[in-house]
Every structure is written in C-alpha cells, then in structure tokens.
Amino acid sequence: MRGRTAAVVAAVLLAVGGCTPEREEAPVIRGITLPSWYRTDYDSPAADRYPRDIKATGAGWVTFTPTWYQKRRGDSVLRPTEETASDAGLRRIVRRAHAQGLKVMIKPHVDLPGDGDRAGIRPRDRAAWFTSYRRFITHYAELAEAMDTEQFAVGTELAGVSGHR
C-alpha cells in the first residue's frame, strides 16, 4: 500500500471510529452527485455527456458513489453486486469529468437492498464488519488516489457503526 493511501485509510478509520481531529471549516462545494444503480451505468453510451451536462449547470464538482451491499442490517460482510459500478466504468467517468474541468469526489457507500436504511446497519460481528469495511474503503481510496481525485469521503450515514472504536 502506498504511503498516501495508508494515511488516508488511517484517517478514515479514525473518523469512522468517532476520533476526529480538529478541522478547519470545509469549503463550499458546488456540485452534483451522479449515482450509479447498475454495474454499467458509467459505461453507458449516455455517460459521455454526463460530465458535459453537469459542467453546463455551472457546477465545479461531481461526486460519484460506488456502492457495496450487505444483505441484512446485522450482516458482517459487504460486497459488490450487479448494482455496483465497475471499477473500469468509474475510472472512465472520472477521466471524462476531469476532461471537462470538473473536480471529483469519490464517496463510497455501504447499502442495504431495497428500501433498507444504511443508518440502521448494526453488524452482529463488528470486528468482521470492520475487516470487510477496511477492504472496501481501502479499495476505493486506492482508486481515488490513482485517479487523482480531489476529495474522498467516508462513513456516509453509517450511524449504527460510527461510535465503534
């Protein structure tokens, strides 16, 4: 693991564990989130125009939300599914966004199928869940670093595990 990625992962684990360092006020980000609900969404023929259309709104940022899933709130393993954007598609859409002059945030999500609320995730085996989460978040931290993205967000709406140390 490269040095910068290791530092990002360490900061992520501290933030998810509730041990956040003091921080400066965050800058305002004027942007649009472009979620993916299927493996090939960022590869579709229409994907070529998404960053151009986002730029045309006056946005300076775009956020991509690759998502892994766990079947039930109490499960301890998360994994990609057919609803997870492919890594190749994510790389392509980030390149397209950068080519339009947009800054990029990668904001990985953990989710439940259907209408399940990710804030309700409370794994039975927290140690196993955090091992799985570490694999997930490290994967996307390394991708974000390789793609020179400007921001990387973690722990989105994971209230059920955010106080775990």
Side-chain angles (χ1 to χ4, degrees):
M1 187 181 307
R2 299 191 318 233
R4 186 170 141 199
T5 300
V8 168
V9 171
V12 165
L13 294 176
L14 283 173
V16 171
C19 300
T20 57
E22 287 188 36
R23 56 189 157 187
E24 296 176 22
E25 189 171 318
V28 173
I29 294 177
R30 183 182 165 128
I32 294 175
T33 297
L34 184 61
S36 171
W37 305 112
Y38 191 69
R39 181 165 189 70
T40 59
D41 281 350
Y42 296 148
D43 293 317
S44 74
D48 281 338
R49 75 170 191 268
Y50 296 157
R52 187 173 51 248
D53 291 349
I54 290 169
K55 182 72 173 181
T57 70
W61 285 80
V62 61
T63 298
F64 300 109
T65 58
T67 305
W68 283 16
Y69 295 83
Q70 59 186 75
K71 291 182 182 179
R72 291 170 298 280
R73 292 171 11 135
D75 286 353
S76 300
V77 176
L78 40 136
R79 58 181 53 96
T81 69
E82 283 302 310
E83 295 177 6
T84 303
S86 72
D87 289 352
L90 184 60
R91 283 186 194 98
R92 273 191 288 282
I93 199 77
V94 167
R95 277 195 306 271
R96 290 176 181 137
H98 279 150
Q100 289 296 318
L102 294 166
K103 292 182 179 180
V104 173
M105 177 189 297
I106 302 296
K107 184 178 163 198
H109 283 199
V110 177
D111 223 338
L112 297 165
D115 292 331
D117 181 358
R118 72 180 67 90
I121 292 173
R122 287 175 176 70
R124 286 182 298 280
D125 183 342
R126 291 173 82 82
W129 189 89
F130 274 99
T131 296
S132 188
Y133 185 83
R134 182 177 290 116
R135 182 174 59 96
F136 157 75
I137 208 67
T138 301
H139 173 76
Y140 286 108
E142 290 172 349
L143 275 176
E145 180 181 29
M147 295 182 293
D148 292 324
T149 62
E150 289 76 15
Q151 291 282 328
F152 185 75
V154 299
T156 304
E157 300 164 9
L158 294 173
V161 294
S162 65
H164 181 71
R165 297 193 184 270

